[in-house]
Amino acid sequence: MSRESEGFEEPGEFEESAVPRTRRRPAYGRATAVRRLHLPERAARLGLSVREADRFVAAGVTDDVLDTTHFDTVRFPPPPWAAEAFAAAAADGAHAYTPYRGAAAVRRPVAHELGRRLGTPVDPERELLLTPGSQAGLFATLAALVSPGDTVALLDPDYLFSERILRLLGAHVHHVPLISRPAGDGPEGARESGPDDGPDGGLVPDLDELAGALRAGASVVLFSHPNNPTGAVYPPDVVAGIAALVREHDAFAVVDELYARLVHGTPFPRLIAEPGMRRRCATVTGPSKTESLSGYRVGVVVAPGDVADGAEDVLAAMSLRAPAYAQHLLTRWLRDDEDFVRDRLADLRGLREQTAAWLADVADLGLRARGGPRPPGTAYLFVDASALGVPDHVLADRLVREAGVLVSPGYQFGPRGIGSFRVCYARDEAVWEAALSRMTAALRALAR
């Protein structure tokens, strides 16, 4: 077999003195960390790595396909002050370079407003970091905490890039399942989630399994809240239970609260506000979803000073800083926007009802929503389609080609996500109604 067929290249004629023939130069993507990023272990159930399955689905996507993997920022645009604040910072011209952790003039008001919402004061100098999007904040925080060989307890299903980041860092992942709690029952009445979780007490982490992971040596607990992909919001007693386990086992928690403002009529408990958790918890957040500011690439991390310092070191090496002009949007974030958030939530509730009605129409196919058809958080519905008996990537490909709709396949969110798919219903109502109709036709054809 030639070196080329193995993914290697021969040194060029003018490279021989710099690259001896006894050395082989690896082709792009052959680095061990990059291979881990592809989650090849998922092939045992999928027949493909996660990256290979993603590429399979993406191959059929064209410009006219409706992409439901993210919010429609035309139907749900940023607030008017966003462009104004960005333009003012750019016109000033003096704000192009900031400290790695962000401009002090921005961190101070952000720390004040976040502290009010988190239920604990935030030191803008030591405990707050501005990042190029919440994804970079998540990466920098985990890179500051996790060493190769460490074990991290990760809820399952959960945000699609969390496990990939952990595997890139060389961590072992202990998956902790979400279980369905019947309405009115406490954690002792919980049961493993099944294909029909129905309208019940909602999905919650299996605290017994989490305790086992921590006893086995997990040093970090990682989860999104509200949960992405299911939209679950964990009750106060469950969040208190997570905090108690973290304290008991001298562990650390990282919680991604990007969707914390997209919660419908239920209390939203903050992990960092639990007793003893201010020094054991990092909170990742930002304006990408509620305010549709994803295009500006700004996020926020609140963490103990030593963890924030480590995350800043990672950020400096990775991107230097968050986009400097965009940082100044955050001086307006979380301030005097109650009407904006109320109206946005009302619109999303209407779309949630529209999506729940569609799900009822296809219930005869065995499709159910994981956690119920009206999840209390996010703008997602996580549909269990395992009754169709079709692999996730094949189902997603069929919806792309036959319905012109791109969904997020369940395998992306963890082993317990397999058999499901996620849709984001934050779309134009008429466009979404037409898309749901096309999806119904495609799913019924697949079931025949």
Side-chain angles (χ1 to χ4, degrees), residues 206-223:
D206 185 336
L207 295 186
D208 290 338
E209 183 68 24
L210 178 57
L214 291 165
R215 284 194 301 268
S219 56
V220 174
V221 177
L222 172 61
F223 63 99

Side-chain angles (χ1 to χ4, degrees), residues 26 139 150 174 237 278 286 301 340 354 427:
F139 180 89
D150 287 353
H174 187 126
D237 67 292
R278 185 175 174 186
V301 174
F340 174 87
Q354 185 178 0
R427 332 218 66 79

Side-chain angles (χ1 to χ4, degrees), residues 176-377:
V176 175
L178 297 185
I179 54 179
S180 185
R181 183 161 76 173
D185 284 7
E188 69 281 355
R191 58 177 173 78
E192 181 93 25
S193 58
D196 183 5
D197 293 305
D200 54 16
L203 295 173
V204 297
D206 185 336
L207 295 186
D208 290 338
E209 183 68 24
L210 178 57
L214 291 165
R215 284 194 301 268
S219 56
V220 174
V221 177
L222 172 61
F223 63 99
S224 58
H225 190 215
N227 175 260
N228 176 5
T230 69
V233 173
Y234 307 137
D237 67 292
V238 171
V239 173
I242 295 172
L245 289 172
V246 170
R247 292 192 304 268
E248 177 186 349
H249 294 277
D250 194 23
F252 195 89
V254 178
V255 55
D256 174 0
E257 293 190 353
L258 187 60
Y259 297 89
R261 307 188 83 196
L262 293 180
V263 173
H264 305 281
T266 189
F268 185 77
R270 305 279 189 165
L271 184 67
I272 196 173
E274 291 294 319
M277 288 304 292
R278 185 175 174 186
R279 65 185 184 88
R280 296 184 179 276
C281 178
T283 302
V284 180
T285 186
S288 295
K289 302 305 179 185
T290 304
E291 297 84 3
S292 298
L293 293 175
S294 56
Y296 289 92
R297 306 314 304 152
V298 284
V300 180
V301 174
V302 174
D306 55 343
V307 176
D309 288 346
E312 182 182 24
D313 291 342
V314 175
L315 182 62
M318 180 173 64
S319 62
L320 293 179
R321 59 184 60 82
Y325 299 148
Q327 290 180 31
H328 289 268
L329 303 173
L330 296 173
T331 61
R332 298 285 304 273
W333 181 47
L334 304 176
R335 295 174 54 194
D336 303 322
D337 64 354
E338 290 82 3
D339 291 344
F340 174 87
V341 174
R342 184 196 63 234
D343 293 346
R344 183 140 296 187
L345 285 170
D347 287 347
L348 289 174
R349 279 193 295 273
L351 283 154
R352 185 179 63 169
E353 287 301 314
Q354 185 178 0
T355 310
W358 164 78
L359 189 65
D361 287 342
V362 294
D364 61 301
L365 300 180
L367 272 63
R368 300 290 186 272
R370 299 282 299 275
R374 295 171 181 83

Side-chain angles (χ1 to χ4, degrees), residues 114-160:
L114 268 180
R116 291 175 52 223
R117 286 160 176 78
L118 293 176
T120 183
V122 176
D123 183 340
E125 301 303 321
R126 294 282 295 130
E127 298 177 331
L128 191 136
L129 189 74
L130 309 184
T131 61
S134 60
Q135 170 99 354
L138 182 64
F139 180 89
T141 302
L142 291 173
L145 289 166
V146 176
S147 297
D150 287 353
T151 298
V152 175
L154 173 66
L155 298 195
D156 180 13
D158 210 272
Y159 176 51
L160 66 94

